[in-house]
Protein backbone atom coordinates (compact mmCIF):
# COMPACT_ATOMS: atom_id res chain seq x y z
CA UNK A 1 0.00 0.00 0.00
CA UNK A 2 2.86 2.38 0.79
CA UNK A 3 5.14 3.84 -1.87
CA UNK A 4 8.69 2.49 -2.26
CA UNK A 5 9.91 5.80 -0.85
CA UNK A 6 7.87 5.37 2.33
CA UNK A 7 9.02 1.76 2.72
CA UNK A 8 12.62 2.95 2.41
CA UNK A 9 11.92 5.72 4.95
CA UNK A 10 10.56 3.17 7.44
CA UNK A 11 13.53 0.84 6.95
CA UNK A 12 16.03 3.69 7.31
CA UNK A 13 14.31 4.97 10.47
CA UNK A 14 14.29 1.50 12.03
CA UNK A 15 17.92 0.89 11.06
CA UNK A 16 19.44 4.24 12.00
CA UNK A 17 16.98 5.36 14.69
CA UNK A 18 17.83 8.91 13.62
CA UNK A 19 15.14 9.86 11.10
CA UNK A 20 11.36 10.13 11.44
CA UNK A 21 9.08 8.14 9.17
CA UNK A 22 5.66 8.97 10.67
CA UNK A 23 4.83 12.61 11.32
CA UNK A 24 1.68 14.20 12.71
CA UNK A 25 1.18 17.60 11.15
CA UNK A 26 -1.47 19.95 12.54
CA UNK A 27 -3.00 21.77 9.57
CA UNK A 28 -5.37 23.77 11.75
CA UNK A 29 -6.25 24.36 15.40
CA UNK A 30 -10.05 24.31 15.29
CA UNK A 31 -12.54 21.49 15.80
CA UNK A 32 -16.29 20.99 15.72
CA UNK A 33 -16.12 18.63 18.73
CA UNK A 34 -15.20 19.08 22.40
CA UNK A 35 -14.01 15.60 23.29
CA UNK A 36 -13.64 14.94 27.01
CA UNK A 37 -10.22 13.28 26.59
CA UNK A 38 -8.72 15.88 24.24
CA UNK A 39 -6.72 19.02 24.94
CA UNK A 40 -5.27 19.37 21.44
CA UNK A 41 -7.59 22.18 20.38
CA UNK A 42 -6.84 24.16 23.55
CA UNK A 43 -3.14 23.58 23.07
CA UNK A 44 -3.18 24.48 19.37
CA UNK A 45 -5.79 27.25 19.47
CA UNK A 46 -3.13 29.87 18.74
CA UNK A 47 -1.80 28.06 15.70
CA UNK A 48 -2.53 29.89 12.47
CA UNK A 49 -3.15 28.03 9.23
CA UNK A 50 -0.29 27.85 6.79
CA UNK A 51 -0.90 28.79 3.17
CA UNK A 52 -0.50 26.16 0.45
CA UNK A 53 2.94 27.53 -0.60
CA UNK A 54 4.02 27.31 3.06
CA UNK A 55 2.65 23.73 3.21
CA UNK A 56 4.76 22.90 0.18
CA UNK A 57 7.86 24.18 1.99
CA UNK A 58 7.02 22.03 5.03
CA UNK A 59 6.44 19.00 2.80
CA UNK A 60 9.78 19.54 1.07
CA UNK A 61 11.57 19.75 4.42
CA UNK A 62 9.85 16.60 5.70
CA UNK A 63 11.01 14.77 2.57
CA UNK A 64 14.55 16.09 3.09
CA UNK A 65 14.74 14.76 6.65
CA UNK A 66 13.54 11.32 5.53
CA UNK A 67 9.84 11.42 6.42
CA UNK A 68 7.53 8.88 4.83
CA UNK A 69 3.99 9.11 6.21
CA UNK A 70 2.33 12.39 7.18
CA UNK A 71 -0.88 12.37 9.22
CA UNK A 72 -2.84 15.53 8.43
CA UNK A 73 -4.55 16.32 11.69
CA UNK A 74 -5.91 19.24 13.70
CA UNK A 75 -8.43 20.09 15.18
CA UNK A 76 -10.64 18.81 12.44
CA UNK A 77 -8.64 18.86 9.20
CA UNK A 78 -11.74 18.83 7.00
CA UNK A 79 -12.77 22.21 8.36
CA UNK A 80 -10.17 23.45 5.86
CA UNK A 81 -11.94 23.75 2.53
CA UNK A 82 -8.59 23.34 0.77
CA UNK A 83 -7.73 20.06 2.52
CA UNK A 84 -7.25 18.36 -0.86
CA UNK A 85 -4.66 20.99 -1.84
CA UNK A 86 -2.92 20.47 1.51
CA UNK A 87 -2.82 16.72 0.81
CA UNK A 88 -1.49 17.33 -2.70
CA UNK A 89 1.35 19.49 -1.33
CA UNK A 90 2.67 16.46 0.58
CA UNK A 91 1.81 13.88 -2.07
CA UNK A 92 3.74 15.89 -4.68
CA UNK A 93 6.86 15.38 -2.53
CA UNK A 94 6.40 11.61 -2.67
CA UNK A 95 5.10 11.39 0.90
CA UNK A 96 2.21 9.12 1.87
CA UNK A 97 -0.65 11.12 3.35
CA UNK A 98 -3.00 9.89 6.04
CA UNK A 99 -6.25 11.83 6.28
CA UNK A 100 -8.25 12.11 9.49
CA UNK A 101 -11.77 13.28 10.28
CA UNK A 102 -14.31 13.00 13.06
CA UNK A 103 -17.05 12.75 10.46
CA UNK A 104 -17.61 16.09 8.76
CA UNK A 105 -15.75 15.24 5.53
CA UNK A 106 -18.16 15.72 2.65
CA UNK A 107 -18.37 13.43 -0.35
CA UNK A 108 -16.91 16.21 -2.51
CA UNK A 109 -13.96 16.76 -0.15
CA UNK A 110 -13.26 13.03 0.01
CA UNK A 111 -13.41 12.71 -3.76
CA UNK A 112 -11.04 15.65 -4.26
CA UNK A 113 -8.57 14.17 -1.74
CA UNK A 114 -8.80 10.80 -3.47
CA UNK A 115 -8.29 12.40 -6.87
CA UNK A 116 -5.21 14.18 -5.47
CA UNK A 117 -3.75 10.76 -4.66
CA UNK A 118 -4.65 10.18 -1.00
CA UNK A 119 -5.22 6.49 -0.19
CA UNK A 120 -5.22 6.40 3.61
CA UNK A 121 -8.02 7.71 5.82
CA UNK A 122 -8.96 7.44 9.49
CA UNK A 123 -12.45 8.12 10.88
CA UNK A 124 -12.73 8.82 14.62
CA UNK A 125 -15.13 6.39 16.31
CA UNK A 126 -14.94 5.92 20.08
CA UNK A 127 -18.10 3.89 20.60
CA UNK A 128 -20.77 1.88 18.81
CA UNK A 129 -23.32 3.42 21.18
CA UNK A 130 -24.53 6.72 19.73
CA UNK A 131 -25.32 8.22 23.14
CA UNK A 132 -21.90 7.30 24.53
CA UNK A 133 -20.05 8.69 21.51
CA UNK A 134 -22.04 11.93 21.70
CA UNK A 135 -21.24 12.11 25.44
CA UNK A 136 -17.51 11.56 24.83
CA UNK A 137 -17.50 14.18 22.07
CA UNK A 138 -19.80 16.57 23.98
CA UNK A 139 -21.72 17.19 20.74
CA UNK A 140 -25.11 15.63 19.91
CA UNK A 141 -25.16 13.91 16.54
CA UNK A 142 -21.39 13.27 16.40
CA UNK A 143 -21.86 9.49 16.24
CA UNK A 144 -24.24 9.80 13.30
CA UNK A 145 -21.74 12.03 11.48
CA UNK A 146 -18.96 9.47 12.00
CA UNK A 147 -21.14 6.65 10.65
CA UNK A 148 -22.11 8.83 7.69
CA UNK A 149 -18.43 9.53 6.98
CA UNK A 150 -17.66 5.80 7.02
CA UNK A 151 -20.34 5.33 4.38
CA UNK A 152 -19.01 8.20 2.25
CA UNK A 153 -15.45 6.88 2.47
CA UNK A 154 -16.78 3.53 1.23
CA UNK A 155 -18.20 5.28 -1.83
CA UNK A 156 -14.90 6.97 -2.72
CA UNK A 157 -12.02 4.80 -1.48
CA UNK A 158 -11.88 1.26 -2.87
CA UNK A 159 -10.95 -1.38 -0.30
CA UNK A 160 -8.33 -2.99 -2.50
CA UNK A 161 -6.25 0.16 -2.98
CA UNK A 162 -6.88 2.18 0.19
CA UNK A 163 -6.13 1.93 3.90
CA UNK A 164 -9.34 2.73 5.77
CA UNK A 165 -9.32 2.65 9.56
CA UNK A 166 -11.34 3.62 12.58
CA UNK A 167 -9.48 5.78 15.09
CA UNK A 168 -10.48 5.01 18.66
CA UNK A 169 -9.14 6.77 21.75
CA UNK A 170 -8.97 4.17 24.50
CA UNK A 171 -10.34 5.62 27.73
CA UNK A 172 -12.35 4.73 30.82
CA UNK A 173 -15.49 5.54 28.84
CA UNK A 174 -15.07 2.84 26.20
CA UNK A 175 -12.35 0.28 27.04
CA UNK A 176 -14.91 -2.52 27.53
CA UNK A 177 -16.23 -1.87 24.04
CA UNK A 178 -12.95 -2.36 22.17
CA UNK A 179 -13.64 -6.01 21.16
CA UNK A 180 -16.98 -4.98 19.63
CA UNK A 181 -15.43 -2.00 17.80
CA UNK A 182 -12.69 -4.30 16.45
CA UNK A 183 -15.33 -6.78 15.28
CA UNK A 184 -17.26 -3.96 13.55
CA UNK A 185 -14.10 -2.72 11.82
CA UNK A 186 -13.26 -6.25 10.69
CA UNK A 187 -16.77 -6.83 9.34
CA UNK A 188 -16.62 -3.72 7.14
CA UNK A 189 -13.06 -4.52 5.99
CA UNK A 190 -11.40 -1.66 7.89
CA UNK A 191 -8.49 -1.50 10.34
CA UNK A 192 -8.67 -0.27 13.94
CA UNK A 193 -6.18 2.25 15.31
CA UNK A 194 -6.17 2.38 19.11
CA UNK A 195 -4.73 5.45 20.80
CA UNK A 196 -4.36 5.39 24.60
CA UNK A 197 -5.60 8.50 26.36
CA UNK A 198 -2.76 10.54 27.86
CA UNK A 199 -3.26 11.30 31.54
CA UNK A 200 -1.91 14.64 32.70
CA UNK A 201 -2.34 17.07 35.58
CA UNK A 202 -5.06 19.57 34.61
Amino acid sequence: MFSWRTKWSILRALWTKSTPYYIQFYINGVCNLKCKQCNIVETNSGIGELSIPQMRMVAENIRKIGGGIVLLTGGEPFLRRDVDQVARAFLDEGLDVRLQTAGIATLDQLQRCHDAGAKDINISLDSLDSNKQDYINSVPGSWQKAIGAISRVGEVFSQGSAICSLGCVLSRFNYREIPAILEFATEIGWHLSLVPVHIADP
Side-chain angles (χ1 to χ4, degrees), residues 46-65:
I47 293 176
E49 293 184 3
L50 297 181
S51 65
I52 298 302
Q54 289 172 319
M55 291 283 186
R56 289 193 174 279
M57 287 177 21
V58 170
E60 182 183 0
N61 286 329
I62 288 174
R63 177 187 51 78
K64 285 178 178 176
I65 63 170

Side-chain angles (χ1 to χ4, degrees), residues 59-134:
E60 182 183 0
N61 286 329
I62 288 174
R63 177 187 51 78
K64 285 178 178 176
I65 63 170
I69 304 165
V70 180
L71 170 66
L72 300 181
T73 189
E76 167 55 63
F78 280 82
L79 285 174
R80 279 193 71 139
R81 296 191 183 277
D82 62 352
V83 66
D84 59 306
Q85 295 175 51
V86 173
R88 189 181 295 277
F90 292 89
L91 290 160
D92 285 350
E93 288 293 331
L95 299 164
D96 278 306
V97 167
R98 178 168 231 214
L99 302 169
Q100 182 171 309
T101 182
I104 69 164
T106 67
L107 193 59
D108 177 61
Q109 285 177 310
L110 292 168
Q111 187 65 60
R112 284 189 283 119
C113 287
H114 178 272
D115 293 346
K119 295 178 284 198
D120 187 345
I121 186 159
N122 183 292
I123 308 291
S124 298
L125 186 74
D126 293 319
S127 178
L128 297 178
D129 180 323
S130 61
N131 291 327
K132 187 187 291 183
Q133 170 103 0
D134 291 354

Side-chain angles (χ1 to χ4, degrees), residues 142-160:
S142 64
W143 182 86
Q144 193 63 49
K145 285 185 178 177
I147 297 300
I150 292 167
S151 176
R152 290 190 294 278
V153 166
E155 290 182 51
V156 175
F157 292 80
S158 64
Q159 284 187 310

